[in-house]
Amino acid sequence: MRVANVNGRAWILTGDRTGVDINHASGGAFPAGVRQLLSELGRLEKWLADQSPGALETQINSFELDDIAPVVPNPPQIFAIGLNYRSHKDETGYTDAPEPVIFTKYVSSLAGPLAEVALSSDTVDWEAELVAVIGRPGRNIAAADAWSHVAGLCVGQDLSDREHQLAATPPQFSMAKSFAGYSPVGPWLVTIDEIADPSDIEIGCSVDGRIMQKDRTSNMILDIPAIIERLSRVVELNVGDLIFTGTPAGVGMGQQPPTYLQPGAELVTWAAGIGEIRQRLLPPAN
């Protein structure tokens, strides 16, 4: 299934621009909000399978991409994994880091798949990431069981103000990556059964049409099950939590000379089999 947040309501997509408002179509049997629906995806899948052929055709409507809001509009927690690709560790100089860094991105930085984002400085960087959405809560989740706690996957950008990040010692990861609009996600959630191999997905991004990052999630140091196991040893994962799983090489600070986002640029981020998100960058707000 592909689940989208269309104007604040959960839709099951039937095409790239069409879908069904599942609360309306089910006569209220399922909740209207995406976050509330996440824990009921198994029941929803069975309900959809039980519908007679063509039963939902009259419920199909179209939407515009501008209608799509963040996949989970108010996630309880947003986690992010830094230095989770060896290629990215090498380009940033953190080759001696014994393991990936875990930090948070604040919920107020969340944005939808099409967004205009005001740059906070002239050193704002891009970081294409695959985002896992938690659908079943838990603590001390074993890696072998982790996929059963994932509602689905979506695309994310971990926009990062490098000047702000590196102004302190140690670096301010969470604050530098949580300006308004710095956590765009989308375009929708794709359930694991829709993806041929959820552990090996091509991700990447381009700036004004120039490809800056392109890699596969199979090259992550900690894969998604290992990330979930690691996080849940400490915190309880909640339905609707988002996990940014790390970025590969190709970020702006790794260029020679370093290159950052400029006002007017278009940033496009994709994950194969899931979709793409687009951000237009604006000058810093006064």
Side-chain angles (χ1 to χ4, degrees):
M1 288 183 291
R2 290 184 297 164
V3 181
N5 180 1
V6 180
N7 292 323
R9 296 182 64 87
W11 283 39
I12 303 300
L13 301 190
T14 57
D16 287 340
R17 302 291 185 276
T18 61
V20 173
D21 182 316
I22 200 63
N23 174 260
H24 284 161
S26 68
F30 293 95
V34 173
R35 181 176 162 191
Q36 293 74 23
L37 184 66
L38 292 177
S39 59
E40 303 209 43
L41 292 182
R43 185 168 71 90
L44 174 59
E45 185 175 12
K46 183 179 185 304
W47 182 84
L48 290 171
D50 289 342
Q51 301 305 298
S52 59
L56 296 179
E57 286 186 4
T58 60
Q59 302 286 338
I60 295 175
N61 290 292
S62 61
F63 61 88
E64 300 297 329
L65 288 180
D66 287 342
D67 296 331
I68 302 180
V71 172
V72 181
N74 191 26
Q77 303 175 103
I78 303 178
F79 301 98
I81 312 300
L83 305 176
N84 200 24
Y85 288 76
R86 289 183 179 85
S87 61
H88 180 51
K89 289 174 66 174
D90 290 344
E91 72 175 348
T92 57
Y94 289 108
T95 54
D96 59 345
E99 61 180 53
V101 176
I102 298 174
F103 57 96
T104 61
K105 288 169 72 69
Y106 296 108
V107 174
S108 60
S109 66
L110 199 65
L114 294 182
E116 293 185 334
V117 179
L119 298 171
S120 54
S121 73
D122 59 1
T123 60
V124 178
D125 209 342
W126 54 86
E127 292 194 8
E129 308 214 8
L130 185 69
V131 177
V133 182
I134 297 298
R136 188 159 67 94
R139 280 186 182 271
N140 297 312
I141 301 166
D145 300 325
W147 280 119
S148 69
H149 289 260
V150 177
L153 304 172
C154 61
V155 184
Q157 254 293 338
D158 178 22
L159 290 166
S160 306
D161 186 325
R162 300 303 188 194
E163 180 181 9
H164 195 90
Q165 178 181 344
L166 301 175
T169 303
Q172 292 273 20
F173 280 82
S174 295
M175 294 297 288
K177 296 163 175 281
S178 291
F179 287 91
Y182 276 28
S183 303
V185 294
W188 35 66
L189 176 147
V190 178
T191 55
I192 302 304
D193 60 296
E194 294 279 335
I195 302 170
D197 185 351
S199 65
D200 184 28
I201 297 172
E202 181 187 282
I203 63 167
C205 74
S206 66
V207 178
D208 289 336
R210 179 187 174 195
I211 295 178
M212 307 306 295
Q213 292 181 283
K214 187 177 179 180
D215 207 332
R216 305 193 70 85
T217 59
S218 54
N219 291 321
M220 290 194 298
I221 297 171
L222 293 181
D223 62 10
I224 288 175
I227 291 170
I228 289 173
E229 182 177 67
R230 186 76 58 91
L231 290 174
S232 68
R233 288 177 188 167
V234 179
V235 301
E236 182 172 357
L237 297 182
N238 302 299
V239 174
D241 283 350
L242 304 181
I243 304 174
F244 284 67
T245 59
T247 199
V251 299
M253 70 180 298
Q255 310 290 318
Q256 296 297 328
T259 303
Y260 299 110
L261 294 166
Q262 300 298 314
E266 183 182 52
L267 175 63
V268 179
T269 311
W270 74 86
I274 297 174
E276 67 179 29
I277 60 176
R278 293 174 176 265
Q279 281 67 56
R280 175 70 62 182
L281 288 312
L282 304 180
N286 294 328

